[in-house]
Amino acid sequence: MLKLIKPTLTVAVCSIALSQVVVAASPTVQSIQERGTMLCSGHNGSYFGFVEVNDKNEWKGLDIDICHAVTTAILGDPEKAKIVPLSWAQRFPALQSGDVDIIIKATGWTMGRDTELGLQFSTPYFFGGTQVMAHADSGVQELKDLEGGTICVEAGTTNERLIADKMASLDIDYNIVSYEKSSEVTAAYQSGRCDAFGGWGPSLAVLRSNQMGDPSQNVILKDTLSNEPIAAAMRQGDDGFVDLVNWTLAALMIAEEHGVTQANVDDMAANPVDPTVARLLGSTPGIGERLGLRETWAKDVIKSVGNFSEIYERNLGQNSPYKLERGFNNLWNNGGLLYSPILD
């Protein structure tokens, strides 16, 4: 019997040791720990609901909260995140050059970015498709109504290419105008320079509901050009950092699924309701050692930013000015597409 058990234990011990080596060898994690700050992508204006600046000149939004979550996992304090303002076109060069540690900025996971830009992506944490918004009084109801018209977009995004592909497939002649900043596209559209505003559906919905006066004056066309998986982008070849980011996202979703909130996380840690919660909050040791972190890293994350539902509702949902329904961005057991791997 001992001969059978011994190899199993050896494999388990080696597995834990290898996990520690992977994270310990992560150049990004080592750099963040030595620097004492984590460098996350910001925006060169406000990307409402995701990456924006409030009236106190503070960064906020769903993507900012996820940056705070990863920072807390590594450094134990969300305030140790440093947000670096970047345009859409600047984000990937900034990551490749080391000006930021990670891109968390409504960034779609595409084959070109994955294979040609030297990037690795996390598991998706949000879903949203490219859509087009038009002035209601123009009578435009669908893409074919934009024959001969002008569509304005943000440069360096997938929206521009997806719109071009769709219009080509429909054999529609149109003009496209690109701007560097979201605020420039919005201004061009509102001034009548553009017949339509092509962008990411959730962002268009936020603009329409809160930034363009009477929402009935603008219509988001029924054509949905994609359902884009949004993920964090990291430099290729740093598997330990990718693991750490993926499990931070998983911790937020597992916490929501099991009812662990910012308010009750201390009580849940003291009196876990099931074995998964006990492992998640470090009451049963294991998840810290595997990632080379302290055992309470996930508990610290939830205490600093809440679970995924709390992050969503605060920034985009019913506790925000935008009141966006979760839809696809609900957990799998509530009809959505979000799920986490198993915390065993």
Side-chain angles (χ1 to χ4, degrees), residues 318-332:
Q318 299 310 306
N319 299 326
S320 79
Y322 314 123
K323 314 296 183 189
L324 295 191
E325 298 294 331
R326 286 187 68 175
F328 287 146
N329 295 298
N330 225 316
L331 294 187
W332 65 275

Side-chain angles (χ1 to χ4, degrees), residues 21-338:
V21 168
V22 168
V23 174
S26 165
T28 307
V29 173
Q30 288 181 340
S31 176
I32 292 168
Q33 290 173 334
E34 290 168 6
R35 189 192 307 125
T37 57
M38 178 166 155
L39 305 176
C40 290
S41 54
H43 195 61
N44 56 351
S46 274
Y47 202 65
F48 297 104
F50 293 88
V51 186
E52 63 177 279
V53 178
N54 66 15
D55 55 9
K56 298 178 182 177
N57 205 33
E58 299 167 331
W59 289 99
K60 66 186 289 285
L62 184 140
D63 287 344
I64 296 297
D65 274 349
I66 292 176
C67 165
H68 286 156
V70 177
T71 302
T72 302
I74 297 172
L75 297 173
D77 182 354
E79 298 303 318
K80 292 185 177 179
K82 180 179 179 181
I83 311 300
V84 180
L86 297 171
S87 70
W88 295 105
Q90 289 172 324
R91 59 188 155 159
F92 299 130
L95 179 62
Q96 291 160 335
S97 66
D99 290 341
V100 294
D101 296 310
I102 190 169
I103 299 290
I104 308 174
K105 184 180 174 178
T107 295
W109 182 357
T110 74
M111 184 177 184
R113 292 168 178 173
D114 200 356
T115 60
E116 297 175 357
L117 295 184
L119 304 180
Q120 277 183 279
F121 287 86
S122 71
T123 51
Y125 63 84
F126 198 91
F127 293 87
T130 297
Q131 292 184 271
V132 174
M133 180 166 63
H135 304 285
D137 59 6
S138 69
V140 172
Q141 294 292 321
E142 52 188 321
L143 288 176
K144 69 179 184 181
D145 297 332
L146 286 168
E147 177 76 37
T150 298
I151 302 176
C152 290
V153 300
E154 293 160 279
T157 67
T158 53
N159 299 313
E160 183 174 3
R161 185 170 63 255
L162 288 167
I163 290 169
D165 290 348
K166 185 65 175 181
M167 298 301 262
S169 72
L170 296 174
D171 196 25
I172 298 172
D173 288 327
Y174 75 109
N175 299 304
I176 196 160
V177 180
S178 302
Y179 293 90
E180 186 73 12
K181 297 181 179 179
S182 307
S183 57
E184 293 172 338
V185 186
T186 303
Y189 173 76
Q190 289 185 296
S191 70
R193 170 71 180 81
C194 323
D195 298 301
F197 185 157
W200 194 45
S203 179
L204 292 179
V206 164
L207 284 170
R208 178 176 178 268
S209 70
N210 192 257
Q211 304 296 323
M212 292 187 168
D214 182 357
S216 68
Q217 297 303 306
N218 299 284
V219 58
I220 297 177
L221 310 190
K222 63 182 180 181
D223 309 79
T224 299
L225 282 62
S226 65
N227 188 14
E228 195 168 5
I230 301 302
M234 292 154 277
R235 288 181 288 273
Q236 189 84 37
D238 195 343
D239 292 345
F241 190 42
V242 176
D243 284 348
L244 193 153
V245 172
N246 279 339
W247 280 105
T248 302
L249 293 171
L252 298 173
M253 296 176 196
I254 293 168
E256 179 184 354
E257 186 174 343
H258 288 261
V260 182
T261 69
Q262 197 169 18
N264 70 19
V265 65
D266 285 331
D267 290 339
M268 284 281 204
N271 303 288
V273 296
D274 59 46
T276 297
V277 170
R279 286 191 285 272
L280 177 70
L281 302 182
S283 308
T284 300
I287 70 165
E289 187 175 32
R290 290 172 178 172
L291 289 173
L293 300 174
R294 62 203 178 282
E295 291 297 337
T296 60
W297 67 266
K299 174 175 177 283
D300 299 338
V301 166
I302 297 159
K303 193 166 184 174
S304 67
V305 299
N307 63 36
F308 193 86
S309 173
E310 291 177 289
I311 291 173
Y312 184 95
E313 298 301 342
R314 178 168 63 238
N315 292 298
L316 291 168
Q318 299 310 306
N319 299 326
S320 79
Y322 314 123
K323 314 296 183 189
L324 295 191
E325 298 294 331
R326 286 187 68 175
F328 287 146
N329 295 298
N330 225 316
L331 294 187
W332 65 275
N333 56 349
N334 286 322
L337 297 177
L338 297 180

